[in-house]
Amino acid sequence: MNFAAWMAGIQQRTEDALTTHLPAATVAPSHLHAAMRYATLEGGKRVRPLLCHAAGSLFGAHCELLDVAAVTVELIHAYSLVHDDMPCMDNDVLRRGKPTCHVEFGEATALLVGDALQSLAFQLIATPFSGLEPVRQIEMVNLLAVAAGSRGMAGGQAIDLASVGEQLTVSELEFMHIHKTGALIRCAALLGAHAGGAGPDEIIRLGHFANRIGLLFQVVDDILDAEASTATLGKTAGKDAAQNKPTYVNLLGARDARVMAATLRDEAHNSLQPFGERAQRLHELTDYIVDRPF
Ligand code: GRG
């Protein structure tokens, strides 16, 4: 199967699983449930689920288990976007080509959407799954909690908010992004590996790859934010510069940011060498992350 067909298949599986696991909008409290579905369904590239499946396939994980793991990461991601767009944070009105959740449903509901999506993610990943050892499952719950928390994504967001108008060094910027964006991307890959029963050494090796990919994703995001249009991105373009936020583009310049992306891409590919041809999807995903349109 070629990469495009594989990607479309995983995106559809993810959409189906999210549709199933999110409470129906007809179930009370329907305003909250409608908003949760609005914020999560029919949009997004599903990069984290793709990574989870690609990593899981490396270790022969069951697709049904990968669906659950992928959904949990995507729910945390959707929650982070809802909160990030709120007036107290990035204050944005456009996400995935439509009005942001708080614009459509109000601020209080958007806050609850994030809370409830996060809780749902942990409910799903903590639900016993046949064939998955409890010790392994607890490790997966722990991974997700650390990735989403103050030592991961939420911590990175705190640094991001505090850095507006500040002059960061490249290593400070890297520290922020390893947490804000990289932690959840890394978690997606590692959950996939755990779902396939990967051993400690394999987890460490895959972790090296995931760290490169997390940073690569962010460098490309900065380049896209600076160079692509709002229509293409489906979110407000040029936001980082307008908000005086440090980015790889304004720190290094567009040319060197591209050089950095190329280096990270090479490092990501090289880190997959020990896995041989089994890592084909991860190689393809690496290239997709660089060449993605939005
Ligand atoms: C609110 C706790 C909390 C955290 C927010 C991830 C994040 C932290 C904020 C999003 C802001 C942002 C634009 C970060 C840059 C990288 C990124 C996560 C982009 C959006 O992810 P994509 O491109 O989005 O995977 P789609 O819509 O495709 O799912």
Side-chain angles (χ1 to χ4, degrees):
M1 195 190 302
N2 70 28
F3 178 68
W6 174 82
M7 181 164 74
I10 301 297
Q11 286 166 333
Q12 190 57 55
R13 288 187 78 96
T14 303
E15 191 71 19
D16 294 347
L18 285 165
T19 305
T20 304
H21 289 298
L22 281 161
T26 48
V27 171
S30 33
H31 190 66
L32 177 59
H33 289 155
M36 287 165 72
R37 296 178 79 86
Y38 178 87
T40 311
L41 299 175
E42 291 168 33
K45 300 174 289 297
R46 311 301 190 201
V47 164
R48 294 149 196 84
L50 289 164
L51 252 177
C52 185
H53 276 270
S57 68
L58 196 58
F59 302 102
H62 289 295
C63 252
E64 291 71 23
L65 179 53
L66 290 174
D67 286 337
V68 176
V71 158
T72 64
V73 179
E74 194 64 12
L75 289 171
I76 298 282
H77 171 58
Y79 125 65
S80 80
L81 298 181
V82 171
H83 280 190
D84 182 67
D85 288 333
M86 290 181 68
C88 59
M89 295 210 190
D90 253 18
N91 193 17
D92 216 327
V93 294
L94 192 68
R95 170 71 65 184
R96 294 176 170 173
K98 57 187 188 183
T100 47
C101 190
H102 68 274
V103 168
E104 194 71 11
F105 291 89
E107 273 183 53
T109 298
L111 192 66
L112 292 172
V113 163
D115 296 340
L117 290 176
Q118 172 150 229
S119 293
L120 180 59
F122 282 101
Q123 180 193 333
L124 292 177
I125 201 162
T127 302
F129 197 94
S130 88
L132 182 63
E133 283 182 20
V135 172
R136 177 77 77 167
Q137 189 165 9
I138 288 170
E139 207 163 335
M140 292 167 75
V141 174
N142 191 272
L143 254 178
L144 189 66
V146 174
S150 66
R151 310 286 292 274
M153 182 183 74
Q157 179 76 346
I159 299 169
D160 181 290
L161 293 172
S163 71
V164 174
E166 298 289 323
Q167 186 66 41
L168 298 189
T169 63
V170 173
S171 63
E172 285 168 337
L173 190 63
E174 181 169 318
F175 183 83
M176 174 174 94
H177 289 311
I178 283 171
H179 292 79
K180 186 179 107 169
T181 314
L184 201 59
I185 287 182
R186 182 172 192 276
C187 177
L190 295 190
L191 286 184
H194 276 290
D201 290 349
E202 292 166 320
I203 295 282
I204 289 170
R205 254 181 253 142
L206 194 70
H208 291 315
F209 164 75
N211 290 343
R212 299 293 86 192
I213 283 290
L215 215 47
L216 175 62
F217 186 90
Q218 184 62 53
V219 177
V220 174
D221 197 74
D222 283 357
I223 295 170
L224 287 170
D225 183 73
E227 297 183 350
S229 69
T230 296
T232 308
L233 296 179
K235 61 182 180 182
T236 314
K239 200 78 199 303
D240 295 332
Q243 290 187 331
N244 204 10
K245 278 194 176 181
T247 70
Y248 285 105
V249 173
N250 63 33
L251 217 60
L252 303 174
R255 200 171 140 269
D256 282 358
R258 268 199 217 91
V259 171
M260 182 175 177
T263 305
L264 287 166
R265 175 195 210 148
D266 288 347
E267 288 172 0
H269 283 304
N270 290 339
S271 68
L272 292 172
Q273 288 311 322
F275 298 112
E277 286 181 7
R278 288 186 301 146
Q280 183 200 340
R281 293 297 179 215
L282 289 173
H283 283 292
E284 291 167 336
L285 210 41
T286 301
D287 292 334
Y288 171 73
I289 283 172
V290 179
D291 299 328
R292 70 189 197 264
F294 63 95

